[in-house]
Amino acid sequence: MIKELVFVTNNAHKVEEVAHAVGNRFKILSLKDLGFEKEIEETGTTFKENASIKTQRIYQQYNLDCFADDSGLEIAALNGDPGVFSARYAGEHGNHQANIECVLEQMEDITDRKAQFKTVISLIWKGREHWFEGVVTGTIRTEISGNSGFGYDPIFQPDGYPVTFAEMPLSEKNKISHRGKAMAQLITFLQQQ
Ligand code: ITT
């Protein structure tokens, strides 16, 4: 029987990436499928706390196995910012273009361009919570390049590649990305259950 899992997110791009990563091994249900339309406020100070806030909220209401990803971009020269504020760095939640402009502005005179994307996944499985992490290191470009993906993808160049995440097909990004790595661990865990 195919396992069903609720993915606690309002980000359609994340759903696309994760659905691609799990293939036909699991059926991913979105918040839309549950009919849950409220915003879950992310009041935590770490990715782990925020990921847990999302899964706990849904588990309390529906008592269903579920997982959530909290993620973001950490830039060394900005002391790890935007970090947990990645989705709302320029103020408005999810305004990716404004967020990118904000980062490029802050980085204008900075030569140290080192950065990483990080994901923490919280999974509630049979009433118990488990966590999985993924990191990808890279550099921040000085200009945008490419139009695939979402968020900061057009300015993030992963180490060892000459292109940004926004210039890679989804299947390539998934192989090396923070979310792809965390999802691979989640899939391994579920396959052992
Ligand atoms: P949900 O909380 O509903 O899942 P969200 O977009 O608000 O969706 P987060 O709170 O985890 O997600 O914020 C993550 C932000 O970090 C996201 O909005 C992007 O700006 C950035 N981000 C995370 N993963 C990314 C990726 O793979 N590529 C580009 N930007 C990413």
Side-chain angles (χ1 to χ4, degrees):
M1 200 178 75
I2 294 184
K3 291 172 186 158
E4 283 192 348
L5 265 185
V6 176
F7 185 15
V8 185
T9 182
N10 286 309
N11 183 327
H13 293 281
K14 285 188 184 178
V15 177
E16 194 190 353
E17 284 190 11
V18 162
H20 195 279
V22 300
N24 54 13
R25 288 174 282 204
F26 306 100
K27 182 161 186 243
I28 301 294
L29 301 177
S30 66
L31 290 181
K32 227 189 205 164
D33 294 324
L34 289 188
F36 183 90
E37 284 173 0
K38 296 182 197 120
E39 271 294 321
I40 302 174
E41 229 189 305
E42 295 173 24
T43 51
T45 55
T46 62
F47 295 128
K48 188 176 178 184
E49 275 173 30
N50 281 337
S52 293
I53 287 170
K54 297 184 224 187
T55 50
Q56 299 283 354
R57 174 71 181 82
I58 291 306
Y59 187 70
Q60 273 160 20
Q61 183 161 341
Y62 296 95
N63 211 28
L64 289 172
D65 295 328
C66 59
F67 69 100
D69 136 333
D70 201 64
S71 49
L73 181 64
E74 297 179 323
I75 301 174
L78 301 181
N79 298 316
D81 276 352
V84 287
F85 300 106
S86 292
R88 51 195 146 116
Y89 197 42
E92 186 197 343
H93 190 108
N95 186 338
H96 299 312
Q97 201 184 326
N99 287 338
I100 284 181
E101 279 165 18
C102 197
V103 164
L104 290 181
E105 219 174 274
Q106 307 257 345
M107 301 278 294
E108 214 165 33
D109 301 318
I110 296 178
T111 49
D112 173 10
R113 316 289 297 184
K114 281 194 300 296
Q116 62 180 26
F117 270 124
K118 188 168 178 184
T119 288
V120 178
I121 289 178
S122 156
L123 167 73
I124 299 185
W125 180 252
K126 296 186 177 164
R128 283 195 56 196
E129 186 168 11
H130 307 264
W131 291 272
F132 308 94
E133 286 191 25
V135 170
V136 56
T137 58
T139 48
I140 301 297
R141 288 273 191 92
T142 52
E143 285 174 6
I144 61 165
S145 194
N147 44 30
S148 315
F150 71 102
Y152 300 94
D153 281 346
I155 54 168
F156 183 82
Q157 178 174 321
D159 286 339
Y161 291 79
V163 293
T164 67
F165 266 168
E167 295 171 300
M168 287 185 172
L170 189 51
S171 53
E172 286 300 308
K173 179 185 171 187
N174 261 348
K175 275 185 209 156
I176 58 166
S177 80
H178 48 314
R179 186 167 303 98
K181 289 175 182 166
M183 276 308 295
Q185 292 169 45
L186 178 143
I187 291 166
T188 302
F189 171 87
L190 289 175
Q191 285 176 329
Q192 289 164 350
Q193 301 306 302

